Amino acid sequence: MEMTAPFLPAWYDMAWTVVALAGLVLSLVALLAWWRSPRMVGGLAVVWAVVILALPVIGPVFYLTVGRGRRQVGSADATSR
């Protein structure tokens, strides 16, 4: 017996599946970036991990835009080449 929602179209389930998978991939990308970041040490690392995992879409987007930090143009990495 097939279970379908009587008042919702079939594409609705497919759309939510795509949204859920996109959220999962976004979370995995953010966790991978968090894991590889040398700047994530101590309590700050734990806080970012909780933010990424507790807020399914907003947390990873926030980490990827704000949490990774930006390199300064005149930093030692840019001038040591």
Side-chain angles (χ1 to χ4, degrees), residues 2-28:
E2 185 177 324
M3 302 217 16
T4 59
F7 301 111
L8 297 174
W11 64 265
Y12 191 78
D13 287 334
M14 185 60 80
W16 277 110
T17 300
V18 169
V19 168
L21 287 175
L24 179 65
V25 168
L26 185 62
S27 294
L28 290 175

Side-chain angles (χ1 to χ4, degrees), residues 3 9 15 22 26 38 43 46 51 53 55 74 81:
M3 302 217 16
L26 185 62
V46 174
V51 167
L53 294 172
L55 304 171
R81 293 181 185 188

Side-chain angles (χ1 to χ4, degrees), residues 34-35 37-50:
W34 168 82
W35 182 260
S37 176
R39 296 178 50 181
M40 290 295 129
V41 292
L44 181 62
V46 174
V47 169
W48 275 116
V50 169

Side-chain angles (χ1 to χ4, degrees), residues 63-74:
Y63 174 75
L64 292 172
T65 57
V66 175
R68 289 176 25 174
R70 292 184 171 86
R71 291 184 180 168
Q72 295 178 355
V73 176

